[in-house]
Amino acid sequence: MASTNTATRHHTGEAGPPTRPSLIGWLAVVSVMLGIFSIVTTEILPIGLLTKIGSSYAISDGMAGLMMTMPGFLAAISAPVVTVATARIDRRLMLCVFTLLLAMANFLAAAAPGYWLVLLSRVVVGVVIGGFWSIAAGLAERLVPTEAVSRATAVIFSAVPLGSVLGVPAGTFIGDLAGWRTAFVVMGAFTVGVLIMLVLVVPPLPPHQTTRLNVLRGMLKTVNTRFALLLTFLIVLAHFGAYTYVTPFLEQITDANSPLITVFLLVYGAAGIVGNFLGGAVVARCPRVTFGLAAAMIAAATLLLPILGRWQVGVVALLLVWGTAYGAVPVSSQTWFAKATPHAPEAASVLFTASFQATISLGALMGGVMVDRTSPSTVMTLGGLTATLMVLATWAHFARRLTWPSNT
């Protein structure tokens, strides 16, 4: 793989990754991480504000959950389409364009007089997710030396739990103080700041591999890629089918008020940061064990929530388990795709992003239907059962004695 990348860089005139650590390289990594943080926070911000936004427009919790369904659905489409359409454009320019669109989407949501405009802003968010994630997920190797790529990747993916530990609780807190619209204004202003940082510290990134649709189709022929799709589908469906409606659960079952819910979400997010770095440290060596253990922990937490979630101590304990487990999920899924297709890193990121986001959309939609027709406890139980299926699928991969390509 190293020789392939070297040849490609020679052909395109790209200098390749730096040979020694540099401050500007790590600042570029941090700027990409903050870009993903902005995206993740914007995407899941409605989770903490779900009931407030629903009340503002006089709609049900399930209907409000469309704010989670729309971005995932559009991201799944835009990930391959936008990446292929912009394959010959400098990746730094595309990162900046997507970040600008994200800021505009936040401001649109804040000013929307009708719910349909909020959903329109979420369509834009979906396009941004698909494009930005597909480019950014595999950028670490182009920003830092080879020996620092693993650490840089963990830093980039730390944006996912950071969005939970800081973004969602902070958004909920701002929503309590000044209204949910203010939370989107603050998020838009923060995104503008990220855009400025990207412009200042990210070097030019001319495309060194052209991602084409036939490359994506070819990836689907490998059994490891198909397993990556199956595992990602099951675990993300389980997680977002349940987590999207954790606020109604905490309100109705735990009888928690808004400040306490903010604390609970902080606990979950803090555990997610720990899980991200723990998962990132071991997933390259033990992808099946890491992914399977994360699924088992999510299954245990969501299955036990309807039982223990009536007490605050039980909620805290289970959210710690859940957060730690989910923190390892994005880096585990991305690593699985990357190991399955080592010669096409951006294509692997596209497939990872599309499958991940499509399942977020489906999970939020199915959870919304269930929460309106049954109860938040039922949604948690179904999430736990789906996560259990993922554990069984991981075991099946191990039982078949499947191996990764020899050059990973």
Side-chain angles (χ1 to χ4, degrees):
M1 181 175 179
S3 60
T4 302
N5 286 344
T6 302
T8 306
R9 291 184 187 108
H10 178 74
H11 177 70
T12 59
E14 183 189 348
T19 57
R20 60 182 182 274
S22 67
L23 176 60
I24 196 69
W26 280 106
L27 285 175
V29 168
V30 171
S31 70
V32 173
M33 181 272 287
L34 290 175
I36 294 181
F37 171 82
S38 300
I39 289 172
V40 170
T41 303
T42 298
E43 181 179 17
I44 64 178
L45 189 61
I47 291 176
L49 303 170
L50 197 72
T51 54
K52 293 181 178 64
I53 297 174
S55 298
S56 176
Y57 293 109
I59 56 176
S60 69
D61 289 340
M63 181 64 70
L66 287 175
M67 289 182 290
M68 291 295 296
T69 300
M70 294 299 290
F73 176 72
L74 267 298
I77 297 173
S78 67
V81 172
V82 173
T83 304
V84 171
T86 64
R88 299 184 183 277
I89 301 177
D90 188 286
R91 312 326 270 159
R92 172 198 181 191
L93 174 61
M94 293 311 304
L95 292 178
C96 293
V97 168
F98 289 131
T99 306
L100 177 61
L101 287 174
L102 184 67
M104 294 171 62
N106 276 297
F107 292 135
L108 176 60
Y115 186 55
W116 71 273
L117 271 176
V118 176
L119 292 182
L120 178 61
S121 77
R122 304 300 286 175
V123 169
V124 177
V125 171
V127 173
V128 171
I129 294 169
F132 195 105
W133 264 91
S134 296
I135 296 171
L139 275 186
E141 66 179 29
R142 302 186 65 183
L143 299 175
V144 297
T146 303
E147 65 272 14
V149 168
S150 295
R151 280 180 292 149
T153 300
V155 169
I156 289 173
F157 275 96
S158 69
V160 178
L162 276 173
S164 299
V165 71
L166 297 177
V168 175
T172 305
F173 179 71
I174 294 170
D176 290 339
L177 289 181
W180 64 267
R181 295 180 187 274
T182 305
F184 281 98
V185 170
V186 172
M187 196 64 239
F190 178 84
T191 305
V192 171
V194 173
L195 173 60
I196 295 172
M197 187 174 182
L198 285 168
V199 171
L200 293 176
V201 303
V202 175
L205 296 169
H208 63 264
Q209 289 181 330
T210 302
T211 301
R212 301 185 184 277
L213 291 177
N214 63 335
V215 175
L216 298 175
R217 287 194 295 267
M219 291 171 60
L220 298 177
K221 297 178 181 179
T222 67
V223 65
N224 281 318
T225 301
R226 291 197 294 268
F227 259 101
L229 287 169
L230 174 62
L231 299 180
T232 298
F233 171 77
L234 290 174
I235 195 61
V236 177
L237 184 70
H239 173 76
F240 278 97
Y243 185 63
T244 301
Y245 304 97
V246 70
T247 296
F249 178 91
L250 295 173
E251 289 177 345
Q252 299 174 29
I253 308 302
T254 313
D255 196 26
N257 57 27
S258 190
L260 189 57
I261 290 173
T262 301
V263 173
F264 287 152
L265 294 176
L266 279 169
V267 168
Y268 167 89
I273 293 176
V274 175
N276 173 76
F277 284 100
L278 287 177
V282 300
V283 68
R285 299 190 303 273
C286 309
R288 283 179 286 229
V289 172
T290 305
F291 218 177
L293 181 60
M297 292 169 66
I298 291 176
T302 49
L303 287 172
L304 288 173
L305 262 175
I307 302 171
L308 303 179
R310 301 178 184 278
W311 298 279
Q312 295 178 10
V313 173
V315 166
V316 170
L318 293 176
L319 287 179
L320 282 170
V321 174
W322 192 352
T324 302
Y326 183 70
V329 166
V331 68
S332 295
S333 177
Q334 167 69 10
T335 299
W336 198 298
F337 277 108
K339 288 176 73 67
T341 54
H343 295 299
E346 186 169 273
S349 294
V350 169
L351 201 54
F352 159 73
T353 302
S355 60
F356 208 94
Q357 294 298 326
T359 314
I360 288 177
S361 175
L362 182 61
L365 179 62
M366 293 178 63
V369 172
M370 294 306 300
V371 79
D372 280 349
R373 295 187 178 183
T374 57
S375 70
S377 291
T378 302
V379 171
M380 297 297 157
T381 301
L382 291 175
L385 293 175
T386 306
T388 302
L389 290 178
M390 191 276 199
V391 176
L392 296 176
T394 307
W395 178 84
H397 186 277
F398 179 80
R400 292 181 62 180
R401 301 183 182 275
L402 296 171
T403 58
W404 308 104
S406 58
N407 56 347
T408 55

